[in-house]
Amino acid sequence: MRDSEGWRFAERYKLVALSLWQPVLLLALVLSGCGAGQKEEPVPPAAPPVTLEYWTPFSGGDNIFMTGLVEQFNAEHQEIRVDQINSRLDDYYSRLRTAILSGNAPDLAIIHATNLPQFVQNGYIESLDGLAADAGLDWEQFNAKIAGSTVYAGAHYAVPLDTHTLVLYYNKKYLREAGLLDAADKPLIGRGEQGFTAFLQKLKDAAPPGVAPLALPSTRIDSVWLWWSLYNQMQGGGDFYNSEGTQAVFNNKHSLQALEFVNSLYQQKLIPPHINDAFKLFYDGEAATLITGVWGTGAFEKDEQLELGVVPVPVIYDHPGVWGDSHTLAIPAKSGLSAEKRRAAMIFARWAVEHGVMWAEAGHVPSSLKVVRSEAYTVLKFRSDYAAAASSVAYWPRNVKQWSINEEIIRQFEKMIYKEQTPQQALARAVDSINLQLKK
């Protein structure tokens, strides 16, 4: 009895199990049948990225930061690749002009605001307003003074990336030993010419022999930058050309006063003679102070032995004023440049502006007010101490020959520093030579 009941139970179990598994087996067969004759659809190959040839004139520390910015952009944008080609500033602009004229221009290039007039007037770069609108670039985000440096006849010809001005770097160790630091570790500098001279004299008296109170080269443009800064701090100062732009007019009493003061620092050896590399002198701890551009900040702060401080150039005269320039991003005129490349160039320009904190690590002041006001920027050491200088920048006047005109001023100032002529003679001869250039 028990055996027959067990047999019937086993048979019923088999039937139930079979009835449960049959649909699953049938479904598996159907699915396998459906897929047996099918081939996987091939994945279409990714479109190659739009490649931009990007020329820059950076050297030293700031080239490292620009390279990092480009690499970060490339990592975030698979559809665009920016290839940076860096050159020495000495021959950068002659190479860029030649490339444009020969039809081999890069797709994007850095151009200093000082150099924009010749590129705009000669049709070497494109107007950007339409492209900027398509890329969503908001011109209102920029510091007004910086943005204004890119506007010609009401149109924007470049995207401003930054402003870079002169600043005063100081080694806290030497200032502390001379009793010239306040409670916030800022320099104690008296008013006017006498106050600044006394400050440097105290440094000279307190520092070890061989340490420069102020480092500034005896050659090149640094003394010209300082003169231009001080000349623009004066009420009634700062004129370079007449209103028509046909004659240089900076041989005047304000200009002479500023230049005589600069020259006095050299002649009193508060700036020691025959300095070639002032940057290295300060970096190596052999100078108490240095006046040069903000681009030194990123390099100096990496030296753990240097007790670095940075403040704006002191106001010696009536109001703030300091030489400055801007790096701008421009699209060189190039026949056959595709709409895709133009669009890609503006995408990069907008991204670079919006990521200005990365560029600020080199020391430059970002052009975007939003970036300057951001927490990411304000937490950067030193930068906030001189960011406001962007609003008192004294750009060089707009002249297509300004770059070569500055070379003539450098030549005359060098002769003054080496006691071959007086400040009055330096100004007179510079103005005479420049006026001859303007007539050509």
Side-chain angles (χ1 to χ4, degrees), residues 222-428:
D222 300 68
S223 62
V224 180
W225 285 338
L226 182 55
W227 159 76
W228 182 245
S229 300
L230 300 182
Y231 179 35
N232 277 274
Q233 289 184 2
M234 296 179 178
Q235 192 69 35
D239 289 336
F240 196 101
Y241 299 110
N242 61 9
S243 57
E244 295 80 20
T246 56
Q247 283 192 316
V249 295
F250 60 82
N251 184 11
N252 58 59
K253 65 177 183 179
H254 297 301
S255 173
L256 178 60
Q257 182 181 353
L259 185 57
E260 286 179 334
F261 179 59
V262 172
N263 188 54
S264 73
L265 302 180
Y266 283 97
Q267 304 313 324
Q268 295 178 66
K269 298 186 178 178
L270 297 173
I271 303 172
H274 310 300
I275 292 177
N276 179 41
D277 192 341
F279 192 99
K280 185 177 186 300
L281 202 70
F282 183 78
Y283 188 89
D284 291 343
E286 297 177 17
T289 65
L290 166 70
I291 293 178
T292 193
V294 295
W295 54 81
T297 305
F300 289 142
E301 65 187 356
K302 287 181 169 56
D303 185 353
E304 296 179 357
Q305 304 302 315
L306 179 61
E307 291 189 61
L308 180 65
V310 191
V311 291
V313 169
V315 179
I316 305 296
Y317 299 109
D318 303 316
H319 49 72
V322 63
W323 167 86
D325 209 332
S326 291
H327 295 116
T328 73
L329 291 158
I331 297 179
K334 186 177 182 181
S335 61
L337 184 65
S338 69
E340 293 171 324
K341 286 202 171 190
R342 285 187 175 89
R343 178 177 175 275
M346 289 306 300
I347 289 173
F348 173 74
R350 176 183 172 181
W351 186 93
V353 167
E354 293 173 351
H355 291 74
V357 170
M358 296 179 66
W359 186 229
E361 291 178 6
H364 305 290
V365 179
S367 57
S368 169
L369 293 173
K370 182 179 179 181
V371 172
V372 170
R373 293 165 183 164
S374 70
E375 183 180 357
Y377 179 77
T378 55
V379 299
L380 290 176
K381 198 173 181 180
F382 306 123
R383 278 72 170 176
S384 295
D385 292 337
Y386 57 71
S391 296
S392 55
V393 169
Y395 287 102
W396 290 117
R398 292 183 171 187
N399 189 292
V400 294
K401 298 180 179 180
Q402 193 63 44
W403 200 262
S404 61
I405 282 171
N406 288 347
E407 291 295 323
E408 179 58 32
I409 303 175
I410 293 169
R411 281 190 288 274
Q412 297 301 334
F413 281 22
E414 286 177 355
K415 291 179 181 178
M416 174 196 72
I417 291 167
Y418 284 102
K419 301 181 182 180
E420 296 176 13
Q421 61 184 2
T422 66
Q424 177 67 68
Q425 290 171 328
L427 287 179

Side-chain angles (χ1 to χ4, degrees), residues 62-74 84 351 358:
D62 48 5
N63 183 46
I64 296 171
F65 293 98
M66 177 53 70
T67 299
L69 189 144
V70 169
E71 289 175 348
Q72 183 64 34
F73 175 84
N74 287 338
Q84 181 190 3
W351 186 93
M358 296 179 66

Side-chain angles (χ1 to χ4, degrees), residues 136-271:
L137 180 74
D138 181 11
W139 297 106
E140 297 299 318
Q141 70 177 300
F142 297 110
N143 173 295
K145 192 152 196 171
I146 301 174
S149 70
T150 70
V151 177
Y152 290 79
H156 294 89
Y157 278 84
V159 176
L161 189 58
D162 63 47
T163 190
H164 44 277
T165 68
L166 295 183
V167 289
L168 176 69
Y169 294 100
Y170 58 97
N171 188 323
K172 294 178 184 178
K173 172 187 172 183
Y174 295 128
L175 270 67
R176 187 182 300 114
E177 291 172 351
L180 293 170
L181 283 182
D182 65 14
D185 277 352
K186 304 296 183 186
L188 291 168
I189 302 174
R191 293 176 177 272
E193 293 179 2
Q194 291 183 344
F196 191 63
T197 300
F199 167 77
L200 294 179
Q201 187 62 54
K202 287 180 181 178
L203 283 174
K204 184 178 181 179
D205 295 341
V211 172
L214 173 60
L216 214 67
S218 302
T219 59
R220 299 191 299 277
I221 199 170
D222 300 68
S223 62
V224 180
W225 285 338
L226 182 55
W227 159 76
W228 182 245
S229 300
L230 300 182
Y231 179 35
N232 277 274
Q233 289 184 2
M234 296 179 178
Q235 192 69 35
D239 289 336
F240 196 101
Y241 299 110
N242 61 9
S243 57
E244 295 80 20
T246 56
Q247 283 192 316
V249 295
F250 60 82
N251 184 11
N252 58 59
K253 65 177 183 179
H254 297 301
S255 173
L256 178 60
Q257 182 181 353
L259 185 57
E260 286 179 334
F261 179 59
V262 172
N263 188 54
S264 73
L265 302 180
Y266 283 97
Q267 304 313 324
Q268 295 178 66
K269 298 186 178 178
L270 297 173
I271 303 172

